[in-house]
Short mmCIF file of all heavy atoms in Angstrom, two decimals:
data_model
loop_
_atom_site.label_atom_id
_atom_site.label_comp_id
_atom_site.label_asym_id
_atom_site.label_seq_id
_atom_site.Cartn_x
_atom_site.Cartn_y
_atom_site.Cartn_z
N VAL A 1 0.83 -1.22 0.04
CA VAL A 1 -0.01 -0.01 -0.03
C VAL A 1 0.92 1.26 -0.01
O VAL A 1 0.60 2.22 -0.72
CB VAL A 1 -0.96 -0.02 1.14
CG1 VAL A 1 -1.64 1.27 1.30
CG2 VAL A 1 -2.03 -1.13 1.00
N ARG A 2 1.95 1.22 0.76
CA ARG A 2 2.90 2.38 0.74
C ARG A 2 3.45 2.64 -0.59
O ARG A 2 3.44 3.79 -1.09
CB ARG A 2 3.97 2.15 1.78
CG ARG A 2 4.95 3.39 1.93
CD ARG A 2 6.20 3.07 2.62
NE ARG A 2 7.13 2.23 1.79
CZ ARG A 2 7.79 2.75 0.75
NH1 ARG A 2 7.80 3.96 0.40
NH2 ARG A 2 8.60 2.00 -0.02
N ARG A 3 3.88 1.63 -1.27
CA ARG A 3 4.43 1.79 -2.67
C ARG A 3 3.37 2.26 -3.60
O ARG A 3 3.62 3.07 -4.48
CB ARG A 3 4.96 0.46 -3.16
CG ARG A 3 6.32 0.11 -2.45
CD ARG A 3 6.88 -1.22 -2.91
NE ARG A 3 8.07 -1.58 -2.09
CZ ARG A 3 8.85 -2.50 -2.44
NH1 ARG A 3 8.63 -3.19 -3.59
NH2 ARG A 3 9.93 -2.92 -1.70
N LEU A 4 2.12 1.72 -3.54
CA LEU A 4 1.04 2.20 -4.35
C LEU A 4 0.78 3.67 -4.15
O LEU A 4 0.60 4.42 -4.99
CB LEU A 4 -0.21 1.30 -4.03
CG LEU A 4 -1.48 1.90 -4.83
CD1 LEU A 4 -1.29 1.67 -6.31
CD2 LEU A 4 -2.68 1.04 -4.34
N GLY A 5 0.77 4.07 -2.82
CA GLY A 5 0.54 5.47 -2.53
C GLY A 5 1.62 6.43 -3.13
O GLY A 5 1.38 7.47 -3.58
N GLU A 6 2.84 6.00 -3.02
CA GLU A 6 3.98 6.78 -3.63
C GLU A 6 3.79 6.85 -5.13
O GLU A 6 4.02 7.94 -5.71
CB GLU A 6 5.33 6.14 -3.20
CG GLU A 6 5.69 6.17 -1.82
CD GLU A 6 6.03 7.60 -1.36
OE1 GLU A 6 6.18 8.51 -2.10
OE2 GLU A 6 6.01 7.77 -0.05
N LEU A 7 3.46 5.75 -5.73
CA LEU A 7 3.25 5.73 -7.22
C LEU A 7 2.08 6.65 -7.53
O LEU A 7 2.16 7.50 -8.50
CB LEU A 7 3.02 4.37 -7.76
CG LEU A 7 2.67 4.27 -9.20
CD1 LEU A 7 3.91 4.76 -10.04
CD2 LEU A 7 2.30 2.80 -9.55
N ALA A 8 1.04 6.59 -6.81
CA ALA A 8 -0.15 7.54 -7.13
C ALA A 8 0.21 8.91 -6.95
O ALA A 8 -0.17 9.76 -7.82
CB ALA A 8 -1.27 7.13 -6.09
N ARG A 9 1.00 9.30 -5.94
CA ARG A 9 1.36 10.68 -5.81
C ARG A 9 2.26 11.14 -6.93
O ARG A 9 2.04 12.21 -7.49
CB ARG A 9 2.19 10.92 -4.50
CG ARG A 9 2.53 12.35 -4.25
CD ARG A 9 3.39 12.54 -3.03
NE ARG A 9 4.54 11.64 -2.92
CZ ARG A 9 5.64 11.69 -3.60
NH1 ARG A 9 5.83 12.64 -4.49
NH2 ARG A 9 6.65 10.81 -3.38
N ILE A 10 3.16 10.32 -7.39
CA ILE A 10 4.05 10.67 -8.62
C ILE A 10 3.14 10.89 -9.78
O ILE A 10 3.31 11.92 -10.57
CB ILE A 10 5.07 9.59 -8.83
CG1 ILE A 10 6.11 9.59 -7.70
CG2 ILE A 10 5.75 9.76 -10.17
CD1 ILE A 10 6.97 8.37 -7.73
N LEU A 11 2.24 9.98 -10.08
CA LEU A 11 1.46 10.08 -11.28
C LEU A 11 0.44 11.23 -11.19
O LEU A 11 0.15 11.95 -12.17
CB LEU A 11 0.68 8.78 -11.55
CG LEU A 11 1.62 7.62 -11.95
CD1 LEU A 11 0.90 6.32 -12.08
CD2 LEU A 11 2.36 7.96 -13.13
N THR A 12 -0.19 11.50 -9.99
CA THR A 12 -1.14 12.54 -9.95
C THR A 12 -0.38 13.92 -9.88
O THR A 12 -0.89 14.89 -10.44
CB THR A 12 -2.02 12.46 -8.69
OG1 THR A 12 -1.25 12.30 -7.53
CG2 THR A 12 -3.02 11.25 -8.87
N ASP A 13 0.87 13.92 -9.41
CA ASP A 13 1.65 15.20 -9.41
C ASP A 13 2.00 15.52 -10.85
O ASP A 13 2.08 16.68 -11.24
CB ASP A 13 2.98 15.07 -8.61
CG ASP A 13 2.87 15.27 -7.21
OD1 ASP A 13 1.76 15.75 -6.75
OD2 ASP A 13 3.80 14.96 -6.46
N ALA A 14 2.08 14.53 -11.73
CA ALA A 14 2.39 14.71 -13.10
C ALA A 14 1.12 15.09 -13.93
O ALA A 14 1.18 15.35 -15.09
CB ALA A 14 2.98 13.41 -13.70
N GLY A 15 0.00 15.14 -13.28
CA GLY A 15 -1.28 15.56 -13.88
C GLY A 15 -2.13 14.47 -14.42
O GLY A 15 -3.13 14.71 -15.13
N LEU A 16 -1.80 13.26 -14.06
CA LEU A 16 -2.68 12.15 -14.57
C LEU A 16 -3.70 11.80 -13.54
O LEU A 16 -3.63 12.05 -12.40
CB LEU A 16 -1.82 10.83 -14.75
CG LEU A 16 -1.06 10.69 -16.11
CD1 LEU A 16 0.10 11.57 -16.08
CD2 LEU A 16 -0.67 9.22 -16.27
N ILE A 17 -4.83 11.30 -14.07
CA ILE A 17 -5.84 10.60 -13.28
C ILE A 17 -5.39 9.13 -13.17
O ILE A 17 -5.35 8.47 -14.16
CB ILE A 17 -7.25 10.67 -13.87
CG1 ILE A 17 -7.63 12.15 -14.09
CG2 ILE A 17 -8.27 9.90 -13.08
CD1 ILE A 17 -8.94 12.32 -14.95
N PHE A 18 -5.05 8.71 -11.95
CA PHE A 18 -4.54 7.41 -11.73
C PHE A 18 -5.60 6.50 -11.20
O PHE A 18 -6.33 6.86 -10.17
CB PHE A 18 -3.36 7.47 -10.72
CG PHE A 18 -2.84 6.08 -10.37
CD1 PHE A 18 -2.21 5.26 -11.34
CD2 PHE A 18 -2.85 5.70 -9.04
CE1 PHE A 18 -1.79 4.03 -11.02
CE2 PHE A 18 -2.34 4.41 -8.73
CZ PHE A 18 -1.80 3.60 -9.63
N ILE A 19 -5.85 5.42 -11.83
CA ILE A 19 -6.89 4.42 -11.42
C ILE A 19 -6.18 3.14 -11.00
O ILE A 19 -5.34 2.63 -11.77
CB ILE A 19 -7.88 4.24 -12.56
CG1 ILE A 19 -8.46 5.53 -13.08
CG2 ILE A 19 -8.99 3.19 -12.20
CD1 ILE A 19 -9.15 5.41 -14.40
N THR A 20 -6.66 2.55 -9.93
CA THR A 20 -6.26 1.22 -9.59
C THR A 20 -7.47 0.53 -8.95
O THR A 20 -8.44 1.12 -8.64
CB THR A 20 -5.02 1.14 -8.72
OG1 THR A 20 -4.56 -0.19 -8.69
CG2 THR A 20 -5.38 1.64 -7.29
N ALA A 21 -7.41 -0.80 -8.88
CA ALA A 21 -8.40 -1.60 -8.24
C ALA A 21 -7.76 -2.43 -7.22
O ALA A 21 -6.79 -3.17 -7.39
CB ALA A 21 -9.12 -2.53 -9.31
N ILE A 22 -8.17 -2.22 -5.92
CA ILE A 22 -7.54 -2.88 -4.80
C ILE A 22 -8.58 -3.85 -4.12
O ILE A 22 -9.67 -3.51 -3.74
CB ILE A 22 -7.21 -1.86 -3.74
CG1 ILE A 22 -6.26 -0.78 -4.27
CG2 ILE A 22 -6.44 -2.54 -2.53
CD1 ILE A 22 -5.96 0.34 -3.37
N ASP A 23 -8.19 -5.15 -3.97
CA ASP A 23 -8.98 -6.09 -3.36
C ASP A 23 -9.01 -5.78 -1.82
O ASP A 23 -8.01 -5.67 -1.24
CB ASP A 23 -8.50 -7.49 -3.51
CG ASP A 23 -8.68 -7.94 -4.97
OD1 ASP A 23 -9.62 -7.47 -5.70
OD2 ASP A 23 -7.98 -8.91 -5.36
N GLU A 24 -10.25 -5.75 -1.26
CA GLU A 24 -10.41 -5.80 0.21
C GLU A 24 -9.65 -4.68 0.92
O GLU A 24 -9.18 -4.98 2.01
CB GLU A 24 -10.09 -7.17 0.73
CG GLU A 24 -10.97 -8.28 -0.02
CD GLU A 24 -10.60 -9.65 0.46
OE1 GLU A 24 -9.98 -9.83 1.57
OE2 GLU A 24 -10.95 -10.65 -0.30
N ALA A 25 -9.58 -3.47 0.42
CA ALA A 25 -8.94 -2.39 1.18
C ALA A 25 -9.75 -2.14 2.43
O ALA A 25 -10.96 -2.19 2.43
CB ALA A 25 -8.84 -1.15 0.26
N ASP A 26 -9.00 -1.83 3.46
CA ASP A 26 -9.62 -1.40 4.74
C ASP A 26 -9.35 0.02 5.08
O ASP A 26 -8.71 0.72 4.24
CB ASP A 26 -9.19 -2.36 5.86
CG ASP A 26 -7.75 -2.37 6.16
OD1 ASP A 26 -7.07 -1.35 5.72
OD2 ASP A 26 -7.21 -3.34 6.78
N ASP A 27 -9.85 0.43 6.20
CA ASP A 27 -9.69 1.96 6.64
C ASP A 27 -8.23 2.29 6.71
O ASP A 27 -7.88 3.43 6.23
CB ASP A 27 -10.32 2.10 7.97
CG ASP A 27 -11.89 2.00 7.98
OD1 ASP A 27 -12.52 2.45 7.12
OD2 ASP A 27 -12.35 1.30 8.97
N PHE A 28 -7.45 1.44 7.23
CA PHE A 28 -5.96 1.74 7.28
C PHE A 28 -5.35 1.89 5.96
O PHE A 28 -4.58 2.86 5.75
CB PHE A 28 -5.18 0.64 8.08
CG PHE A 28 -3.76 0.95 8.17
CD1 PHE A 28 -3.22 1.75 9.13
CD2 PHE A 28 -2.86 0.26 7.35
CE1 PHE A 28 -1.93 2.03 9.27
CE2 PHE A 28 -1.53 0.41 7.46
CZ PHE A 28 -0.98 1.37 8.42
N ASP A 29 -5.66 1.09 4.95
CA ASP A 29 -5.21 1.23 3.55
C ASP A 29 -5.56 2.49 2.94
O ASP A 29 -4.77 3.24 2.36
CB ASP A 29 -5.69 0.10 2.69
CG ASP A 29 -5.28 -1.29 3.12
OD1 ASP A 29 -4.20 -1.42 3.78
OD2 ASP A 29 -5.98 -2.21 2.89
#
């Protein structure tokens, strides 16, 4: 999840709409 979050920040900082599908994410995730 930490790596996914870092990747999301990089891609959204670059101006992209980043989409992913996560199985069974919980509040902490």
Side-chain angles (χ1 to χ4, degrees):
V1 170
R2 187 196 68 77
R3 290 181 185 191
L4 175 64
E6 294 290 347
L7 177 61
R9 184 185 45 76
I10 290 167
L11 293 175
T12 55
D13 279 350
L16 274 76
I17 298 170
F18 176 62
I19 302 167
T20 193
I22 305 172
D23 289 338
E24 302 177 20
D26 60 19
D27 293 315
F28 180 79
D29 298 332

